[in-house]
Amino acid sequence: MSVETQARAVPYGDTMLPYRVVGRTVQTSDTVTLRLEPIHQAAQRFRAGQFMMLYSFGVGEIAISISGNPAAGDGILEHTIRAVGAVSAALHDTDIGGLVGVRGPFGTGWDLASAAGGDLVIVGGGVGLAPLRSAVLAALAARADYRRIVLVSGARTPADMLFRHDQELWPAAGAIELHQTVDHPAPGWRGRVGFVSEPLAHLSLEPGRTTALLCGPEPMLRLCAQALLRKGIPAGDIQVSLERNMQCGVGRCGHCQLGTLLLCRDGPIVDYSVAEPLLAVREL
């Protein structure tokens, strides 16, 4: 079956565009970043925090946030994928030269404009750093718009830390303040040990001039948001990514429903003033 025929077979009737893998960077033992180049036509330009529906031909389709630079404008997409199921494993294993179907972009993005003139605090736990990388890159491309850019990055172990090369370059250039922490140290680790909420709690922040972006497991979101609230940061200045089981990308299948929200349509990024009552409901 040709690429064009398979494109027409993708469900929900949205246009699927074929992309070729032109780069593959191993991040951890189960996570890679794929660099995708359009074959015929590029998808529309994306905003930091949006996601694409990625299709592994003959296997299936899943929602994956974009981890590349929204300011690049070259049609290239970067997606950081952890192999946790059949489709993500197939995408993870796609070699350079392989084909991937792309639909999108979908969803809300990080509201970086609201941080202009103030401080931007970015907190990522585990693979949650992937959707935040696009925000870091966008903020660095407009560095003069912000007073401070602070990145708090956490992982289970040092070997599980994503974008290690980036995290060496960003603070070395003096454009970003980096705080790293791991749950379990390894020989040679000289950084913090503990949850990402711990270095966040020690930051000196100015309420009313601080915007925070959070992405990671839901318990981490609650802990970090509470740490920020205790510092006087309003819930409306805290943005969280509520990535859950998004399947169709267009709000039709209902798998991403959280309370009254359909996260692929109304999210995945929302203010904590919206997210807080939902995350407080047990097992919602």
Side-chain angles (χ1 to χ4, degrees), residues 6-208:
Q6 293 189 63
R8 289 194 295 271
V10 173
Y12 302 108
D14 299 308
T15 301
M16 191 276 289
L17 301 172
Y19 275 64
R20 192 178 306 280
V21 177
V22 294
R24 188 176 186 275
T25 302
V26 176
Q27 299 286 348
T28 70
S29 61
D30 61 1
T31 305
V32 300
T33 296
L34 298 182
R35 186 171 173 85
L36 306 177
E37 182 178 71
I39 293 178
H40 304 299
Q41 176 185 345
Q44 292 182 357
R45 291 190 66 170
F46 64 92
R47 301 190 307 276
Q50 289 191 296
F51 67 93
M52 294 287 190
M53 299 298 297
L54 299 187
Y55 184 69
S56 176
F57 291 101
V59 182
E61 184 182 46
I62 54 174
I64 300 288
S65 292
I66 306 163
S67 57
N69 188 355
D74 56 5
I76 297 290
L77 296 173
E78 288 184 290
H79 290 272
T80 301
I81 303 166
R82 174 169 288 172
V84 294
V87 182
S88 60
L91 290 167
H92 172 281
D93 294 342
T94 305
D95 289 326
I96 292 178
L99 297 181
V100 172
V102 171
R103 292 193 296 127
F106 297 112
T108 54
W110 301 109
D111 182 10
L112 293 171
S114 65
D119 298 336
L120 181 62
V121 177
I122 300 171
V123 187
V127 77
L129 188 59
L132 288 165
R133 181 174 181 262
S134 61
V136 174
L137 294 172
L140 291 176
R143 184 62 186 86
D145 290 350
Y146 311 98
R147 297 193 310 176
R148 294 168 70 195
I149 301 176
V150 182
L151 173 62
V152 182
S153 171
R156 188 171 59 87
T157 70
D160 294 313
M161 191 73 72
L162 299 183
F163 313 121
R164 280 171 281 182
H165 181 64
D166 286 340
Q167 292 194 58
E168 291 175 0
L169 290 178
W170 292 335
I176 198 166
E177 178 184 330
L178 176 65
H179 301 267
Q180 292 179 319
T181 185
V182 297
D183 298 342
H184 306 287
W189 175 254
R190 296 182 178 84
R192 288 178 178 266
V193 177
F195 298 126
V196 288
S197 56
E198 295 175 19
L200 183 62
H202 289 90
L203 287 178
S204 176
L205 301 177
E206 185 177 341

Side-chain angles (χ1 to χ4, degrees), residues 194-271:
F195 298 126
V196 288
S197 56
E198 295 175 19
L200 183 62
H202 289 90
L203 287 178
S204 176
L205 301 177
E206 185 177 341
R209 299 199 70 178
T210 299
T211 299
L213 316 180
L214 312 179
C215 188
E218 290 180 1
M220 185 219 92
L221 297 181
R222 289 194 294 268
L223 286 172
C224 291
Q226 289 301 318
L228 291 164
L229 292 172
R230 286 193 293 270
K231 289 181 175 293
I233 309 300
D237 291 337
I238 303 170
Q239 302 171 35
V240 298
S241 179
L242 299 178
E243 295 190 341
R244 288 165 65 90
N245 187 26
M246 296 188 290
Q247 291 196 10
C248 70
V250 290
R252 297 182 184 177
C253 72
H255 283 87
C256 66
Q257 184 172 2
L258 181 65
T260 59
L261 301 179
L262 289 173
L263 293 177
C264 64
R265 182 194 66 196
D266 305 317
I269 296 163
V270 299
D271 289 349

